[in-house]
Amino acid sequence: MDTVVAAFLEGAAAEIGEHYPLLQISDIYSVVAYYLRHQTEVAKMTAFAYQRVKAN
């Protein structure tokens, strides 16, 4: 999810399928749609995950 959201924020959501061929374009856009509806929650989740990685 982080990778797809990051690509979307950089303006390259459609191109992510080229880099990750196992992802279906419909799944990529589903992630983007979820992100757009839940930006605050996704930001919190991403920050939490980043802090856990950083702590280890």
Side-chain angles (χ1 to χ4, degrees), residues 24-56:
Q24 300 293 318
I25 193 72
S26 59
D27 294 332
I28 293 167
Y29 282 110
S30 292
V31 169
V32 170
Y34 181 87
Y35 167 72
L36 291 173
R37 285 190 306 268
H38 302 92
Q39 291 180 40
T40 303
E41 294 89 343
V42 172
K44 288 178 185 177
M45 185 175 59
T46 302
F48 178 74
Y50 176 76
Q51 291 301 323
R52 284 185 58 195
V53 168
K54 193 174 171 183
N56 292 326

